[in-house]
């Protein structure tokens, strides 16, 4: 029978149960942050609550001198969909007969938050006078617009010249087993909505109209087949994808007056967002289109190719799993794109991502205990002169 009570399980899983039982669908926090703040305050962290708009955030720091090692994450989760589609109620966490912790946010990313906090509790207990500073940057706006969350906190920290040297983001980075991959960068994301104007008319009199769909096709084909770059050792080649086309009145005998095209670039460090905009508009101009394009830069690419943080994270994974992780920049984007703008080294390190955003989200319960030990070992490597002793 599934275990629905946290009694008798580890401190990490007990905290995970408490977080998972709160229906913190973005941007709601439902008390998750206060639960974390209470635990951090007991460790002598200085707590700074930073609400922006309807979003709750906090920045917590322990220590006064030396490099800053931050743990970053989010308490918000994506909507569940109909509860009837779930094997177990999404906000009534349980450990099933196969040892899986089930519930919305188990993998993305309340499990990581629990692992981070208990790792820091053990580290502080063993190193009460540790070198450097330990910080937490937590938001409830990662799964939503991501405007009043980490992005806003980062700008707040930038304005007062706050230092941030290393950051571990708890996003689910693993694919086959815990710690098999560390995300040491992410591609940039540049979106656009393109409006191409034509002249509406009757399909029987095309000489009196101008079909914007027909006009758009050669230009879109050129964009699809453009060689934007070849990528590099860390990033695949830049990708251009059309996600939506909208045109017409719904009638079969009306040539539309305009067409809307929504597309997105996922781009490497070989090209900038400004270069992508300029090259796209040059292609549109060459095809003589009457158009308007509205751009949305969701994030620049970032990369932590080498350095103390990557080395420490690799040591942490090896100390717990006995296996060396691969470095990867695949997948979507994360709040690491905002944190990297402070000049920090950033990695993403968390549990398996095979059930994130799905019905019946789950993560192996024992993985969260091991993840907590990986975080603790990474802290030791960064703040204890490279020592790892679990």
């Amino acid at each position: 029978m599934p275990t629905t009570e946290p009694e008798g399980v580890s401190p990490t899983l007990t905290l995970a149960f408490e977080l998972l039982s709160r229906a913190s669908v973005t941007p709601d926090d439902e008390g998750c942050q206060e639960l974390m703040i209470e635990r951090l305050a007991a460790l002598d962290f200085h707590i700074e609550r930073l609400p922006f708009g309807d979003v709750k955030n906090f920045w917590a720091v322990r220590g006064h001198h030396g490099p800053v090692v931050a743990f970053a994450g989010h308490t918000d989760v994506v909507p569940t969909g109909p509860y009837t589609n779930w094997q177990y109620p999404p906000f009534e966490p349980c450990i099933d007969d196969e040892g899986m912790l089930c519930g919305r946010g188990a993998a993305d990313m309340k499990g990581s938050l629990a692992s981070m906090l208990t790792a820091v509790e053990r580290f502080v207990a063993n190193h009460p006078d540790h070198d450097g500073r330990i910080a937490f940057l937590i938001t409830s706006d990662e799964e939503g617009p991501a405007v009043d969350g980490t992005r806003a906190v980062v700008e707040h920290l930038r304005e007062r010249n706050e230092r941030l040297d290393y950051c571990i983001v708890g996003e689910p980075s693993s694919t086959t087993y815990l710690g098999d991959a560390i995300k040491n960068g992410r591609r940039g994301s540049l979106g656009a909505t393109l409006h191409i104007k034509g002249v509406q008319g009757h399909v029987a009199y095309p000489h009196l109209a101008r079909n914007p769909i027909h006009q758009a096709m050669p230009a879109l084909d050129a964009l699809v087949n453009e060689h934007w770059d070849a990528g590099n050792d860390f990033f695949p080649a830049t990708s251009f994808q059309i996600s939506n086309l909208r045109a017409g009145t719904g009638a079969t005998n009306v040539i539309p007056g305009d067409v809307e095209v929504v597309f997105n670039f996922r781009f490497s460090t070989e090209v900038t967002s400004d270069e992508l905009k300029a090259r796209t508009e040059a292609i549109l101009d060459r095809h003589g289109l009457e158009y308007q394009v509205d751009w949305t830069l969701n994030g620049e690419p970032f990369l932590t190719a080498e350095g103390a943080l990557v080395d420490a994270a690799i040591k942490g994974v090896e100390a717990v799993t006995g296996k060396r992780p691969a470095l990867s920049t695949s997948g979507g984007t994360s709040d690491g794109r905002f944190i990297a703008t402070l000049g920090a080294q950033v990695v993403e390190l968390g549990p398996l991502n095979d059930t994130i955003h799905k019905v019946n989200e789950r993560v192996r319960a024992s993985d969260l205990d091991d993840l907590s030990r990986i975080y603790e070992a990474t802290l030791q490597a960064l703040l204890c002169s490279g020592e790892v002793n679990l």
Side-chain angles (χ1 to χ4, degrees), residues 92-104:
E92 296 178 22
C94 67
I95 299 175
D96 69 12
D97 295 339
E98 297 180 347
M100 305 297 289
L101 175 64
C102 306
R104 175 58 87 220

Side-chain angles (χ1 to χ4, degrees), residues 228-306:
W228 301 99
D229 61 48
N232 54 38
D233 290 342
F234 295 98
F235 291 95
T238 291
S239 168
F240 170 88
Q241 293 293 321
I242 298 171
S243 56
N244 285 281
L245 283 169
R246 302 185 186 94
T249 64
T252 61
N253 59 351
V254 178
I255 294 172
D258 57 73
V259 61
E260 179 186 272
V261 185
V262 180
F263 59 85
N264 180 269
F265 287 98
R266 293 302 167 102
F267 62 103
S268 76
T269 50
E270 294 296 304
V271 65
T272 69
S273 58
D274 286 340
E275 288 171 344
L276 290 173
K277 292 177 186 178
R279 289 172 62 184
T280 298
E281 292 176 13
I283 290 172
L284 297 173
D285 290 340
R286 285 203 303 270
H287 286 82
L289 301 178
E290 184 179 353
Y291 72 90
Q292 175 183 333
V293 59
D294 299 314
W295 295 98
T296 302
L297 178 61
N298 300 304
E300 296 281 3
F302 69 91
L303 178 67
T304 301
E306 57 186 11

Side-chain angles (χ1 to χ4, degrees), residues 332-388:
T333 188
S334 77
D335 278 355
R337 67 192 190 273
F338 306 127
I339 297 166
T341 65
L342 292 173
Q345 297 178 31
V346 179
V347 298
E348 298 172 26
L349 177 54
L352 270 68
N353 55 27
D354 56 333
T355 65
I356 61 174
H357 292 208
K358 293 183 179 180
V359 170
N360 297 325
E361 182 178 349
R362 60 193 61 205
V363 66
R364 185 161 298 282
S366 60
D367 279 357
L368 296 187
D369 290 318
D370 287 343
L371 181 61
S372 182
R373 295 171 62 221
I374 289 172
Y375 289 151
E376 181 185 6
T378 303
L379 271 177
Q380 289 181 6
L382 286 169
L383 299 182
C384 299
S385 301
E387 172 191 350
V388 175

Side-chain angles (χ1 to χ4, degrees), residues 10-83:
S10 69
T12 298
L13 289 172
T14 299
L15 179 55
F17 266 80
E18 292 185 72
L19 293 170
L20 288 168
S21 66
R22 299 165 189 256
S24 55
V25 176
T26 191
D28 295 331
D29 170 71
E30 295 297 322
C32 291
Q33 291 185 22
E34 289 303 319
L35 179 61
M36 297 181 68
I37 285 170
E38 182 180 354
R39 301 274 287 257
L40 292 170
L43 299 175
D44 295 326
F45 274 78
H46 171 73
I47 310 296
E48 186 176 4
R49 294 173 178 83
L50 296 169
F52 295 105
D54 295 328
V55 175
K56 290 185 176 180
N57 312 284
F58 76 82
W59 170 251
V61 182
R62 186 185 198 275
H64 303 285
H65 306 287
V68 178
V69 183
F71 289 96
H74 58 92
T75 55
D76 59 322
V77 298
V78 296
T80 64
Y83 281 22

Side-chain angles (χ1 to χ4, degrees), residues 62-289:
R62 186 185 198 275
H64 303 285
H65 306 287
V68 178
V69 183
F71 289 96
H74 58 92
T75 55
D76 59 322
V77 298
V78 296
T80 64
Y83 281 22
T84 53
N85 292 340
W86 288 67
Q87 183 178 5
Y88 305 109
F91 296 114
E92 296 178 22
C94 67
I95 299 175
D96 69 12
D97 295 339
E98 297 180 347
M100 305 297 289
L101 175 64
C102 306
R104 175 58 87 220
D108 189 13
M109 57 170 286
K110 292 180 178 180
S112 296
L113 296 180
S115 297
M116 290 172 175
L117 211 153
T118 56
V120 170
E121 287 176 334
R122 291 193 306 276
F123 181 83
V124 169
N126 293 325
H127 306 278
D129 300 317
H130 60 80
D131 293 333
R133 289 172 285 173
I134 305 172
F136 278 77
L137 195 169
I138 306 298
T139 183
S140 67
D141 182 39
E142 197 275 344
E143 301 290 9
V147 172
D148 291 324
T150 300
R151 183 199 296 260
V153 175
V154 164
E155 290 309 310
H156 176 77
L157 298 177
R158 192 193 319 278
E159 288 173 2
R160 66 187 196 196
N161 297 316
E162 189 81 34
R163 177 175 174 176
L164 207 168
D165 299 278
Y166 312 115
C167 183
I168 303 167
V169 184
E171 292 291 350
S173 60
S174 304
T175 55
T176 304
Y177 58 86
L178 178 68
D180 62 353
I182 295 173
K183 304 287 188 183
N184 66 320
R186 291 285 194 169
R187 293 176 295 174
S189 176
L190 175 64
T193 301
L194 170 65
H195 297 273
I196 299 172
K197 185 174 177 57
V199 176
Q200 184 173 314
H202 196 293
V203 296
Y205 302 94
H207 60 289
L208 300 178
R210 189 173 77 245
N211 193 320
I213 299 177
H214 293 183
Q215 285 192 302
M217 284 180 177
L220 296 181
D221 182 67
L223 290 170
V224 168
N225 290 291
E226 176 75 2
H227 179 75
W228 301 99
D229 61 48
N232 54 38
D233 290 342
F234 295 98
F235 291 95
T238 291
S239 168
F240 170 88
Q241 293 293 321
I242 298 171
S243 56
N244 285 281
L245 283 169
R246 302 185 186 94
T249 64
T252 61
N253 59 351
V254 178
I255 294 172
D258 57 73
V259 61
E260 179 186 272
V261 185
V262 180
F263 59 85
N264 180 269
F265 287 98
R266 293 302 167 102
F267 62 103
S268 76
T269 50
E270 294 296 304
V271 65
T272 69
S273 58
D274 286 340
E275 288 171 344
L276 290 173
K277 292 177 186 178
R279 289 172 62 184
T280 298
E281 292 176 13
I283 290 172
L284 297 173
D285 290 340
R286 285 203 303 270
H287 286 82
L289 301 178

